[in-house]
Amino acid sequence: MTKKKGTLALLIHGGTENWSPARWKRRFDEACAGRPVWLATEGGGDPAGVHYAAVWKPLPGELAAFPNLKAIFNLGAGVDALMADKSLPKVPLVRVSVGDLTHRMTEYVTLHVLMHHRQELYLRDSQRVKRWQPKYQWPAGAITVGIMGLGTLGSDAAEVTARLGFRVTGWSNSPKQIDGVECFHGKAQLDAFLRRTDILVCLLPLTPDTRHILNRDLFAKLNRSGPMGAPVLINAGRGGLQNEADILSCLDDGTLGAVSLDVYATEPLPPDSPFWTHPKVVLTPHNAADTDPDEISKYVARQIKRFEAGETLENLVDTQRGY
Ligand code: NDP
Ligand code: OXD
């Protein structure tokens, strides 16, 4: 007689098309053939039968309801929502680190770096008012793109941006070596990193150390003598990394030339946020790099197979440091 497999519970609170719980359930049913998959947000199941949970933005306390949990799989790369749960069960926590997500983020970063470098805001405005007045276009090699966070996402974005001809620097917690990228690390080297940076890309996780790191003091240290005139911020990490009032006042007084934001302190972004209509803000609704249900359900199924075969789980979160 084959032993009944432990249930995989899905706890998904996204609210957008990509986070449709029913869609994720269909993919998990296929990928985890033979294992019960329970949409736990709909109730009705047996919490004691749950061995694994695959989650997106679970509510504090939701995971503590499963007494026999063996591992948690976060359906995204950032685990800040889980770190905020004081009752998080002490079982291995796995995050997403896969090529599909990485390539999506690198698309977002190159799109927005090129958009600011090629003066797209000015050119779209020119089209709107029928103005034939191209401005001097500097070469990519005259611009330094500084990437905060050189992990799975930041290191790939750095390599691709460098291949486009930009000078690329990066900043992380620990020392790194990446071909074609000048690497800085730790608090002591932050100012040196900022001083060179024309386009600042933030791909940091949100932790107690990084909360509100993107603030006026930091923006004031960015390079002001490059061909762009004023530096640009691109933040696709988390909204909690940024002081939003500082971003707005720095755009208004010229400390920042423009910003691309994918993430916000409050999501969905409230209708009365000034970001929606600010002429120097390029806004996207936290979709820089969506996790793909096909890819990720297979990734989780593969990891459960490894775990049950006694192998180590990949991409485990260090809950002490929070990422
Ligand atoms: P990783 O954990 O692979 O990388 C994190 C990087 O940040 C590491 O290089 C780490 O340094 C560095 N870091 C962390 N804390 C500090 C600190 N205090 N000072 C300096 N450097 C620090 O994460 P990923 O690259 O996979 O993802 C990064 C973030 O991107 C996620 O946490 C998530 O918030 C966000 N994200 C956003 C998405 C979107 O659609 N907008 C999609 C996916 C992710 P070290 O290497 O030395 O540890
Ligand atoms: C993630 C995200 O963390 O989508 O993967 O933001």
Side-chain angles (χ1 to χ4, degrees):
M1 202 177 74
T2 46
K3 212 167 122 223
K4 189 168 177 282
K5 292 181 172 176
T7 299
L8 171 72
L10 297 183
L11 283 171
I12 295 174
H13 297 279
T16 60
E17 192 179 344
N18 191 52
W19 291 111
S20 147
R23 184 152 156 255
W24 280 86
K25 172 149 168 42
R26 279 197 300 278
R27 295 300 186 277
F28 271 105
D29 279 335
E30 281 165 30
C32 301
R35 180 179 303 282
V37 177
W38 173 36
L39 256 188
T41 41
E42 294 190 346
D46 170 22
V50 171
H51 287 184
Y52 306 103
V55 305
W56 182 240
K57 295 189 180 163
L59 306 177
E62 269 186 322
L63 284 158
F66 305 132
N68 299 312
L69 199 60
K70 295 179 194 294
I72 302 169
F73 299 91
N74 186 47
L75 295 175
V79 293
D80 43 294
L82 288 148
M83 295 297 99
D85 182 352
K86 298 285 170 263
S87 63
L88 190 71
K90 293 194 178 359
V91 298
L93 169 59
V94 174
R95 69 188 199 94
V96 170
S97 172
V98 297
D100 177 75
L101 182 79
T102 304
H103 299 149
R104 289 165 191 254
M105 184 57 88
T106 297
E107 284 175 6
Y108 170 88
V109 171
T110 48
L111 174 70
H112 286 260
V113 164
L114 287 171
M115 188 188 300
H116 294 291
H117 159 62
R118 293 300 304 243
Q119 307 175 77
E120 274 294 309
L121 291 185
Y122 172 76
L123 292 171
R124 286 317 105 224
D125 193 49
S126 297
Q127 179 177 357
R128 197 177 50 78
V129 299
K130 302 184 181 169
R131 179 180 57 209
W132 187 277
Q133 247 169 58
K135 288 190 187 177
Y136 166 70
Q137 179 59 58
W138 53 83
I143 298 297
T144 299
V145 177
I147 303 189
M148 298 179 91
L150 288 175
T152 307
L153 303 180
S155 57
D156 191 70
E159 283 172 13
V160 173
T161 315
R163 278 209 296 281
L164 290 174
F166 293 95
R167 293 190 300 239
V168 181
T169 62
W171 182 70
S172 52
N173 241 335
S174 55
K176 305 273 176 220
Q177 270 200 317
I178 304 174
D179 275 354
V181 179
E182 192 182 357
C183 296
F184 298 81
H185 69 276
K187 282 194 184 128
Q189 295 186 0
L190 179 58
D191 285 6
F193 160 80
L194 296 170
R195 267 199 301 277
R196 293 163 167 71
T197 300
D198 299 296
I199 300 180
L200 181 68
V201 177
C202 183
L203 291 173
L204 287 169
L206 178 61
T207 68
D209 281 345
T210 60
R211 182 171 292 280
H212 288 172
I213 191 169
L214 302 173
N215 58 41
R216 174 174 281 279
D217 283 355
L218 180 141
F219 302 143
K221 291 174 182 163
L222 295 168
N223 185 24
R224 313 200 54 76
S225 57
M228 296 177 77
V232 162
L233 165 71
I234 300 173
N235 183 20
R238 280 291 181 265
L241 296 164
Q242 68 204 12
N243 179 324
E244 300 193 338
D246 281 3
I247 291 179
L248 287 163
S249 69
C250 285
L251 283 172
D252 292 343
D253 70 14
T255 304
L256 287 172
V259 300
S260 285
L261 301 177
D262 185 58
V263 287
Y264 311 90
T266 304
E267 296 181 8
L269 186 65
D272 62 354
S273 166
F275 287 143
W276 284 110
T277 48
H278 199 293
K280 295 179 184 169
V281 175
V282 184
L283 178 160
T284 47
H286 197 148
N287 75 334
D290 274 343
T291 41
D292 176 57
D294 285 325
E295 281 294 318
I296 304 309
S297 55
K298 288 184 208 147
Y299 166 79
V300 172
R302 222 170 30 243
Q303 291 252 34
I304 293 179
K305 214 166 156 189
R306 287 175 68 89
F307 184 70
E308 294 192 336
E311 293 171 41
T312 49
L313 290 164
E314 294 165 339
N315 306 314
L316 282 168
V317 172
D318 177 340
T319 50
Q320 285 306 312
R321 62 179 195 180
Y323 69 97

